[in-house]
Amino acid sequence: MEPAAIASSIIFTVLGITIVIGVLAYRLGIKVLRADTYIVAGRALGFIVTFLNMAAVIYSGFAFLGAAGWAYSYGAPVLYIWVYGALAYTFAFFFAPRIWSVAKGRNLLTQADFFLWRYNSKLLMTLVALVGILFNIPYIQLQILTVRYVLDLSTYGALPSLHLAVLSFLLVVLYVFLGGMVSVAIANVFLGAIMLGAMLGGSLAIIGHYFGGLEGLFRAVAEVSPQHLAFPGAAGIHPVQWFITAAVGCGLGFWVWPQLAQMVFPARSPRVLRRSVVMTSWYHVLGIIWASLTGLAAVALGIKLAAADQAFIFLIDKTFGPAALGLIGAAGMAAALSSGAGILLTQASLCARNLYQQLVKPTASDRELVLVTRISVIVFAAIGAILAYVAPAQLVYLLLVGYAGITQMFPGWVLGSIWKWITREGVLAGLVVGETVVVLTTFVWSNPLGIHSIVWGLIFNLPLALLISKLTYREAKAPQG
Amino acid sequence: MGTEEAVRSRERLFMWLAALIWLMVTVPAPFLNGLPVFVAGMPILWFWMLLWVVLAAVLLTVAYFVVERG
């Protein structure tokens, strides 16, 4: 059997199993299809499903391949990925149960619902929904292109990878359309488990095979390219203050992403959430950290790659052959599709629940809401697929500002859930100024003084949001929280 | 196990410990950067970060059992 046939048969078997699981979850798991069943799985998900669903959505195809790519290109700056995950989980352990309780008590289905309830502002709700939809469009496209990338590498360019990537994505759309969150979550249990096995198993095998352990790996990197082991890294553009601000900024912004809020709401209880966050922190330790070290392994072996993100897949192929390549390729595809499914459902939910039901037709029935969400799933999937064909590079600017831009919702989302005196005027003012600063410090004066644009945005956003909230609180109506 | 309010009151100690983790991965970074010292086979900067990322997971595990089970 040809190597490409071996690898691709494993990849498409995994895809087939995923689709079957997703469709079966809909057939067996949903008795009555209501909006809360479709969007937040009736808030009934137990520990294993919540944990692996969360992990599968968090660790996208970009993270799966990109962490090794970062280590290969830059070296020490990859530590920000190690650290911000840990910071985000320590934060989520306390924050996620709190926001879950608020959402459960008020039947909030989306992050934008929270802003409407908390600030009684349709303007803020609309802004949050639009930001969530807009910034995630390139992420959907990115997941499709990651599948294409994985297929190209895993099949040695033997298959029409873009067509197959779009087809794979549309098959995933089928179960998202049918079962909503239930299908996404159950399928993600399978995908999340495959990803962890591949990241840990593949990385340990590579490091053990070539270096006998971590000491051998780091000693080899120290000889070949010592600049990979310290800041500002191999490219010389990531000083230590960049690391600190990127780690803190991304740690704070992590749970502001609407799709991650959407992964919190379906849990059965705060206890399930805490347990899931704990396990996801271990998933981070055992998965992404080890996967990133394969990038250093490529450096130590003196391998010249056409693209840095090939590091993990290239080493697996070179070392263990097409069957292992197929397994890692399947895991890379799993990472992309699982995140894509979660993001797609989140976009559709924001559109249907907040733009359609809250703004256009408040009398829309439950059944109608599910229908509009399903139509939105198709529309956003089509947009992602079309963009993957016609504009693969143009949306990179949205990706560049995506994380920093989303993080500017931190005061309204996080502080607003803790302090009653945060007002909509404060949140709005901070948001507008924060987003403006992010755009300026990304495109006009990139990361001034080596400080990440997320933090520049928050430096202006947070004090302004707090100050204006203090000034307007007495005049504002007491928040409902 | 207890009510959510009781759970939240038990959380407070761990909030401070979580804050300590945020400090320990950021503040020492400039001092450890580039030091030619290896610990457990890793440059001290990498070892330090790995140590605290693992400690964060350990802390959350302990916090879960203490907070949820009283």
Side-chain angles (χ1 to χ4, degrees):
Chain A
M1 203 171 181
E2 290 291 314
I6 295 172
S8 57
S9 60
I10 293 172
I11 290 174
F12 289 114
T13 301
V14 168
L15 176 67
I17 294 171
T18 306
I19 309 301
V20 169
I21 292 173
V23 173
L24 276 180
Y26 159 67
R27 293 294 299 264
L28 302 175
I30 297 180
K31 303 285 182 280
V32 183
L33 194 57
R34 301 188 313 262
D36 70 333
T37 324
Y38 192 80
I39 295 174
V40 294
R43 298 182 216 279
L45 299 186
F47 157 60
I48 293 289
V49 182
T50 302
F51 153 49
L52 285 170
N53 184 34
M54 210 179 250
V57 172
I58 288 170
Y59 296 106
S60 66
F62 189 62
F64 189 86
L65 300 176
W70 258 72
Y72 177 81
S73 297
Y74 306 118
V78 79
L79 289 171
Y80 101 93
I81 297 176
W82 293 21
V83 166
Y84 89 69
L87 298 183
Y89 298 126
T90 55
F91 176 75
F93 185 83
F94 307 103
F95 174 68
R98 181 183 290 270
I99 205 77
W100 180 92
S101 298
V102 171
K104 162 97 173 162
R106 281 87 183 172
N107 195 29
L108 310 180
L109 299 181
T110 66
Q111 186 187 43
D113 274 1
F114 171 84
F115 279 81
L116 177 63
W117 162 76
R118 174 64 177 78
Y119 302 104
N120 193 25
S121 166
K122 286 199 171 175
L123 173 63
L124 257 181
M125 176 204 74
T126 307
L127 271 177
V128 168
L130 287 175
V131 165
I133 291 170
L134 184 71
F135 281 125
N136 269 320
I137 286 174
Y139 272 89
I140 290 284
Q141 182 193 356
L142 186 66
Q143 304 314 315
I144 297 173
L145 292 174
T146 303
V147 174
R148 176 196 188 179
Y149 193 63
V150 166
L151 285 173
D152 257 340
L153 292 171
S154 309
T155 62
Y156 311 99
L159 297 174
S161 56
L162 182 57
H163 297 322
L164 285 172
V166 170
L167 180 65
S168 307
F169 181 66
L170 294 180
L171 287 171
V172 168
V173 170
L174 172 71
Y175 70 71
V176 179
F177 175 86
L178 288 172
M181 182 57 81
V182 171
S183 290
V184 169
I186 303 288
N188 279 354
V189 171
F190 175 61
L191 298 175
I194 285 182
M195 286 159 57
L196 181 59
M199 285 192 283
L200 184 60
S203 318
L204 288 178
I206 287 171
I207 294 166
H209 180 83
Y210 287 107
F211 307 100
L214 283 180
E215 180 163 11
L217 170 66
F218 280 103
R219 296 278 179 201
V221 176
E223 274 184 26
V224 173
S225 178
Q227 63 271 27
H228 268 82
L229 297 181
F231 298 107
I237 55 173
H238 299 102
V240 71
Q241 66 269 30
W242 176 91
F243 159 74
I244 293 170
T245 51
V248 170
C250 293
L252 290 175
F254 197 86
W255 294 96
V256 183
W257 281 93
Q259 64 268 29
L260 295 189
Q262 208 76 25
M263 296 308 123
V264 166
F265 292 167
R268 189 189 298 149
S269 67
R271 184 170 192 237
V272 162
L273 261 180
R274 287 191 185 92
R275 209 169 167 192
S276 301
V277 169
V278 169
M279 288 309 294
T280 315
S281 71
W282 284 109
Y283 192 104
H284 183 73
V285 170
L286 297 175
I288 205 77
I289 286 179
W290 288 98
S292 69
L293 289 173
T294 58
L296 286 188
V299 172
L301 293 170
I303 293 169
K304 300 292 175 209
L305 296 169
D309 292 347
Q310 294 176 357
F312 195 3
I313 287 189
F314 180 90
L315 278 175
I316 287 289
D317 182 31
K318 175 180 155 66
T319 315
F320 302 109
L325 176 67
L327 285 172
I328 298 297
M333 187 184 65
L337 294 180
S338 57
S339 298
I343 293 169
L344 191 60
L345 182 64
T346 302
Q347 284 181 309
S349 306
L350 288 167
C351 183
R353 168 76 162 178
N354 300 108
L355 301 186
Y356 178 74
Q357 191 183 39
Q358 304 284 7
L359 292 183
V360 178
K361 194 176 177 193
T363 57
S365 67
D366 214 50
R367 195 187 167 99
E368 196 176 340
L369 183 56
V370 173
L371 177 68
V372 177
T373 313
R374 280 178 154 174
I375 292 169
S376 305
V377 165
I378 300 292
V379 169
F380 288 116
I383 291 172
I386 291 167
L387 288 175
Y389 278 110
V390 301
Q394 278 84 339
L395 292 174
V396 71
Y397 292 112
L398 272 179
L399 284 175
L400 279 179
V401 293
Y403 216 117
I406 290 273
T407 305
Q408 303 311 311
M409 297 196 298
F410 181 84
W413 174 236
V414 177
L415 301 185
S417 73
I418 299 169
W419 293 325
K420 290 183 175 181
W421 54 271
I422 300 293
T423 65
R424 75 171 156 238
E425 290 80 2
V427 171
L428 256 176
L431 191 61
V432 170
V433 171
E435 297 289 2
T436 307
V437 172
V438 162
V439 170
L440 290 175
T441 54
T442 303
F443 299 118
V444 180
W445 187 15
S446 183
N447 299 332
L449 307 176
I451 293 172
H452 198 287
S453 61
I454 295 180
V455 171
W456 278 117
L458 288 176
I459 284 173
F460 287 87
N461 177 350
L462 274 172
L464 192 65
L466 296 177
L467 178 69
I468 294 186
S469 290
K470 275 286 181 197
L471 292 174
T472 53
Y473 179 61
R474 265 171 274 158
E475 293 154 28
K477 283 181 185 172
Q480 297 158 48
Chain B
M1 183 115 59
T3 63
E4 196 52 23
E5 288 72 26
V7 164
R8 292 234 169 105
S9 74
R10 287 196 291 271
E11 274 182 357
R12 289 206 181 94
L13 165 70
F14 291 100
M15 281 186 181
W16 288 107
L17 290 174
L20 177 70
I21 285 176
W22 282 64
L23 284 176
M24 296 312 281
V25 292
T26 51
V27 175
F31 306 102
L32 300 175
N33 185 38
L35 280 183
V37 177
F38 274 61
V39 181
M42 307 172 76
I44 191 165
L45 174 73
W46 292 72
F47 170 78
W48 183 261
M49 296 304 163
L50 181 61
L51 173 72
W52 285 97
V53 170
V54 173
L55 281 178
V58 171
L59 169 77
L60 292 183
T61 308
V62 174
Y64 171 76
F65 285 110
V66 173
V67 164
E68 287 291 345
R69 301 193 175 175

